[in-house]
Amino acid sequence: LMSPAEILLIEDTPARQQIYLSLLKSAGRSVTSVTTATAGLTAFRQQRHLVVVVNIALPDRDGLDLVRDLLAVVPGTPIIAITSDRSVSLAVKAMRSGASELLVNPFDQARFLQAIDKALRTRRGSKADQQDKDQTPPGTFLGKSAAMEAVYKQIRSAAASHAPVFITGEI
């Protein structure tokens, strides 16, 4: 009986799919690989993968809608979204849909594997550690109100990603 694959790869471009598979396997990772959003959702429902890597430009549907659907099946699953679009609006949409990381092509092998390792650590981290972390204000911020707790949560979420962050509000 084979243990479940750690990573679900959803990539429709054959060359990129082979590159990602090769990198992951050489890093000792077990991978299930599919080429469509539909096959990806089916595979995820059948076997709960620890991390999902998804190209957000899939042929059969929008990858960000897929991200939302995957998170509805297993909330908290780290999802690494991949795109060739460098727009800030797409980065914002990816984070809002629940992607934990956005990689913009071209990126190097080390960056890809670093994102995978970070996602696996996040997934395997204990809930107690996360609970403690969530209670501590980041940096030197003061305040314990519900509004400030919400701000801290957003800061931690943004800090965990390499996506661009745009901050607005009163001075």
Side-chain angles (χ1 to χ4, degrees):
L1 191 71
M2 203 173 137
S3 64
E6 298 170 296
I7 300 163
L8 174 60
L9 171 64
I10 309 169
E11 171 60 68
D12 65 310
T13 308
R16 285 195 180 142
Q17 184 184 45
Q18 285 308 312
I19 290 167
Y20 303 150
L21 274 173
S22 165
L23 281 172
L24 291 167
K25 287 181 178 177
S26 68
R29 302 293 179 202
S30 56
V31 187
T32 300
S33 182
V34 296
T35 57
T36 66
T38 305
L41 192 54
T42 301
F44 190 69
R45 283 188 173 128
Q46 288 171 350
Q47 178 189 1
R48 305 296 161 87
H49 299 81
L50 297 176
V51 175
V52 178
V53 178
V54 59
N55 179 345
I56 56 178
L58 291 167
D60 57 333
R61 71 183 284 217
D62 179 63
L64 296 181
D65 289 340
L66 174 62
V67 168
R68 284 186 278 272
D69 287 352
L70 292 167
L71 289 170
V73 176
V74 183
T77 301
I79 299 178
I80 300 168
I82 297 178
T83 183
S84 295
D85 183 341
R86 294 191 168 278
S87 73
V88 172
S89 65
L90 180 72
V92 169
K93 282 183 198 163
M95 293 300 117
R96 282 192 178 145
S97 70
S100 51
E101 186 95 40
L102 180 68
L103 297 180
V104 180
N105 270 313
F107 47 83
D108 64 20
Q109 298 178 4
R111 177 77 187 86
F112 179 68
L113 292 174
Q114 175 189 12
I116 295 289
D117 288 343
K118 179 177 158 194
L120 285 167
R121 277 195 312 275
T122 301
R123 186 58 191 251
R124 290 181 174 135
S126 79
K127 296 284 183 201
D129 289 349
Q130 191 60 40
Q131 196 78 32
D132 290 347
K133 199 172 158 187
D134 286 349
Q135 301 308 316
T136 311
T140 57
F141 288 92
L142 300 175
K144 293 207 176 284
S145 69
M148 286 307 294
E149 291 299 329
V151 170
Y152 300 152
K153 187 174 180 182
Q154 285 185 316
I155 290 169
R156 275 188 286 279
S157 175
S161 168
H162 288 282
V165 175
F166 182 63
I167 300 170
T168 62
E170 295 179 36
I171 297 173

